[in-house]
Amino acid sequence: MDAQALAAQLRPILGEELVITDHQRLRTYECDGLAHYKVVPAVVVLAETAEHVATVVKACAANGIPFVARGSGTGLSGGALPHADGVLIVMSKMRRVLEVDRDNQRAVVEPGVINLQLTRQVLPLGYYFAPDPSSQQVCSIGGNIAENSGGAHCLKYGFTANHVTGVELVTPSGDIAHIGAKSPDAPGYDLLGAIVGSEGTLGIATAVTVRLTRTPEDVRTLLAAFADTDSAGAAVSAIIGAGVIPAAIEMMDALAIEAAEAAVQCGYPRGAGAVLIVELDGPAAEVQHQFDEVEGYCRANGAFEIRIAADDAERALFWKGRKSAFAAVGRISPDYIVQDGVIPRTALPQVLRRISEISAEAGVRVANVFHAGDGNLHPLVLFDDSVEGEAERAEEVSGAILDLCISNGGSITGEHGVGSDKAKYMPRMFTDDDLDTMQLLRCAFDPTSISNPGKVFPTPRLCGEVPGKHKGVHPLAEAGIAEVF
């Protein structure tokens, strides 16, 4: 059975309007936030319940048809890129907050719930959902789980993995499993830890139990302008080195500031080569003490202007430029690649200098905006796809930045995931044995390799093959589809 025949089988069960095969409508789902990669799916299913998801996955498993889950489509690594011969299961209709348990500081939500929607719903109770990706106004919690998303405040509060205690999971065979619960730590193997950040390769979450964080007594935000990124980086090291852990420390360089000003008129200090946004929260007395320290470290490291948010409106304006940075570069460049590498924060000055050198050598502009507190870089590689050769040079610069992160003891991704975009870079960071071990776990969940195939790993493992060398050539290996390890 092919995907079209499967669609005909699903329509009487799910309803005509939930199963899409019209080519023009299918093109709506051809990519996620990384438009560099595009694939039109064979079928799209708009799931409304966990039972819908289980029905579709079970039918796919019975017929060997690949499937991919998609939330809001805001991912930046091609993680929700469809399969041309498969089914794309869209979760955006599953937007119910199923339970808010204030006493236990938990909420149970469907995967299509928008990140900021949950915070707005529980804020009157004195709580919020701490993970805050820049796309939190539109990204879904299911997607946050798939990519283990972070955000500006992950420096203090951690990534999505630190705020999920349970999931209802549709396995690649179509069964519904419950992993974890409201309690802090479930007994046994940490299957939840494997699922969060697995990028849809181990199944599809259809309900999520998350931690709610108490709204802090006080929040104070500072904007500091520096002549260059070296000075701003030194201020970051001084703050963290003194034992102060702000809720967030964000940095933008001159080109990122230029883009933000063009897009949202955020009014950052003129002439700044870099700005830091530092936010502290917690008990009022502690925040005040630490805030004075932070201000002192910024001045000592060359801040020529410091602004302190007087109220929530001014705080929002500080953050507006930073949170709009990715989209803002569209004002100064027709095309761009968003990169997502990680380095030790003490390496910030030399790494940023080297990125500047790589940019100049290639003749490709790079705007830097990143989570300075934990060294999660988001270089924006700018180019014009209509100019011959520019896209290729931009790709080379992007790869060189990832190599730079690895050589400085970092990682090829901090929060955007590997997806389709970075799979080819995985062997630069991991050995063959590392990758083989990871794929053994994947095969344990998905022995037929139909759950978001082609993502994360540069070449898929043939599930069921014994690791090691074999005589003869496997038919799939001979066809170039897979590699036997």
Side-chain angles (χ1 to χ4, degrees), residues 6-97:
L6 180 66
Q9 177 182 310
L10 292 173
R11 279 196 176 96
I13 303 170
L14 305 181
E16 189 78 24
E17 70 283 359
L18 300 182
V19 182
I20 300 171
T21 54
D22 176 73
H23 184 75
Q24 289 304 312
R25 293 182 67 193
L26 292 174
R27 288 198 61 193
T28 302
Y29 304 95
E30 67 184 1
C31 66
D32 59 12
L34 184 66
H36 189 64
Y37 300 95
K38 295 181 179 180
V39 174
V40 178
V43 177
V44 167
V45 173
L46 307 177
E48 293 183 333
T49 65
E51 289 69 28
H52 282 178
V53 177
T55 296
V56 176
V57 170
K58 196 164 289 187
C60 287
N63 295 283
I65 295 173
F67 63 87
V68 177
R70 174 191 169 105
S72 296
T74 58
L76 293 167
S77 63
L81 191 72
H83 193 288
D85 299 316
V87 178
L88 185 70
I89 305 173
V90 178
M91 315 295 288
S92 57
K93 282 179 170 285
M94 297 177 64
R95 285 196 181 186
R96 293 182 299 158
V97 175

Side-chain angles (χ1 to χ4, degrees), residues 299-430:
R299 292 194 188 280
N301 285 280
F304 65 82
E305 184 175 341
I306 291 179
R307 299 177 185 174
I308 298 171
D311 51 32
D312 288 344
E314 195 168 3
R315 178 181 300 114
L317 189 60
F318 286 1
W319 282 110
K320 189 175 183 181
R322 166 60 186 92
K323 294 236 172 185
S324 66
F326 290 177
V329 294
R331 295 295 186 99
I332 62 172
S333 176
D335 301 284
Y336 62 94
I337 298 171
V338 180
Q339 229 1 306
D340 170 46
V342 183
I343 58 171
R345 58 177 164 264
T346 52
L348 275 172
Q350 62 262 36
V351 168
L352 291 174
R353 281 196 296 272
R354 181 55 190 148
I355 289 175
S356 180
E357 292 169 358
I358 292 170
S359 169
E361 291 163 5
V364 175
R365 293 184 300 166
V366 178
N368 290 289
V369 52
F370 49 94
H371 308 313
D374 55 6
N376 188 185
L377 307 180
H378 293 310
L380 302 163
V381 183
L382 314 183
F383 67 101
D384 185 346
D385 202 23
S386 67
V387 178
E388 186 176 353
E390 278 208 10
E392 289 74 19
R393 289 203 305 276
E395 286 278 3
E396 289 172 6
V397 168
S398 182
I401 290 172
L402 292 182
D403 285 337
L404 181 63
C405 291
I406 295 170
S407 66
N408 278 273
S411 166
I412 62 172
T413 181
E415 57 181 347
H416 293 176
V418 176
S420 305
D421 187 44
K422 297 185 183 179
K424 60 182 175 290
Y425 297 109
M426 288 286 276
R428 301 187 189 185
M429 186 169 176
F430 297 104

